[in-house]
Amino acid sequence: MGIVSLKTELRQSLKLTPQLMQSMEVLQFNSQELLEYLNKATEENPILEQEDSPSLRSAYEELRQKASWIDGGVYGGSFAHEESSYPERGAADRETESLAAFLVDQLDRQHLPRPLLALTRYMANLVDEDGYLLQEDLDSLSDLKIPQALIDQGLQTIQQLEPAGVGARTLSECLVLQLSRREDVSPAVLEIASRFLPELGRKHYGPISKELGISVAEIQEAEAIIASLEPHPGQAFQSSEPTVYVRPDLFVLEEDGVWKVILNEYYLPRVSISGYYTRLLKESDEAETREYLRHKMQQAKWLMNSLERRGSTLRRCAEAVLDAQRPFFSGESTVLSPMSLSSLAETLELHPSTISRATHGKYLQCKQGIFPLRYFFSRSIGDQGPSQQAVKQKLLYLVKNEDPHRPLSDQKICKLLEESGIQLARRTVAKYRLELGIGSSTVRKQASVK
């Protein structure tokens, strides 16, 4: 006879309600995606109405008078309440044709363990339009207390999907991922793609030949192979529509001596709940009609709450950025202060994943120009050191002012930075130099002789 035993086990699980899922989705939308989403929502839900608001244009023009650097041409004839701005009926659903949807479909077919599937589905939505994963997004996963081993496994899984090269963090990694799927690719080609792209781009074959011990002819053969690769694997999923200009989600400007953040909601329709259907819900004698309208009313209220939460979260993030980077916005400095997604999350008492979604794909316009909101996040070097952006600017300054006949080596740059109070390893200097598109000292010396 078998033994029956009972045991108590405590488990913690996260259940995403439809309301929470909608709120997370709306939070991540950029301005254009949100406009399309609202147009679609009002078409599908009779409870929702889009109100014509002629005051939007006058309010926007008033703002432009205060800040002349705001471009009015992008908005001309494109206000959401105008009929011409609605998407064509019967047009292809861009969401189902997106790179993220294509990646998720592949993941769902692989029978992955649940934790890995959940993580990779999330990572698929972080891949940008070129097919790359930003290091900041991967860092935010660590901030979520996800084990590094699982993150590495998730990254490897994403990078094994189609199109080849997707999920890369750098151009070099993207090209190497594509080369690794080809047969009969020599180690020299992989080395050149991994380490010598700046030199190859300038056709400075000498340093490559000396380092790898191969002939110029072999380098040129490798160059032809690398040139056949796709540096933007995600571009195939971009629709061949007319160019869409970046529409800032936020403005930062000074008004009467006070710096403020303004949400760019001038282009959005004013969504409200229909009074007619509200009365019908109360007065209808048909149970089926009341149930249908009750369901649509619930969806409408969820959307209204999600929009309010998106605006509030986005504004709070931008105001925190303004506080941290005030010298930049005021024009006193071009250097950013150290700031990370996790530190902002701690400041605002929000979850890091909320900050990641709120800042993903958003743009901010100030008098210096239009910037991705994530441009203002730059990790510090060490515990109390300057931001990575500040260090890169210093590196650019040193290279720009070096003796062209005796360019600075990476080791010499290390020493000069150390004299400025910046402690960096030589390999880190080399990494930053490559990210800035600056060749080695040998390449720069050869370039200066010409």
Side-chain angles (χ1 to χ4, degrees), residues 18-34:
Q19 183 179 5
L20 181 57
M21 290 180 66
Q22 183 185 49
S23 180
M24 293 168 63
E25 186 178 27
V26 169
L27 180 62
Q28 188 161 324
F29 284 147
N30 62 29
S31 59
Q32 185 61 35
E33 291 168 342
L34 181 59

Side-chain angles (χ1 to χ4, degrees), residues 170-189:
T170 64
L171 174 59
S172 292
E173 186 175 35
C174 178
L175 300 180
V176 169
L177 286 172
Q178 295 177 56
L179 289 170
S180 64
R181 299 193 190 186
R182 295 193 177 189
E183 297 181 358
D184 302 325
V185 173
S186 68
V189 178

Side-chain angles (χ1 to χ4, degrees), residues 10 113 215 230 236 256 386:
L10 181 63
S215 67
E230 174 53 68
D256 299 327

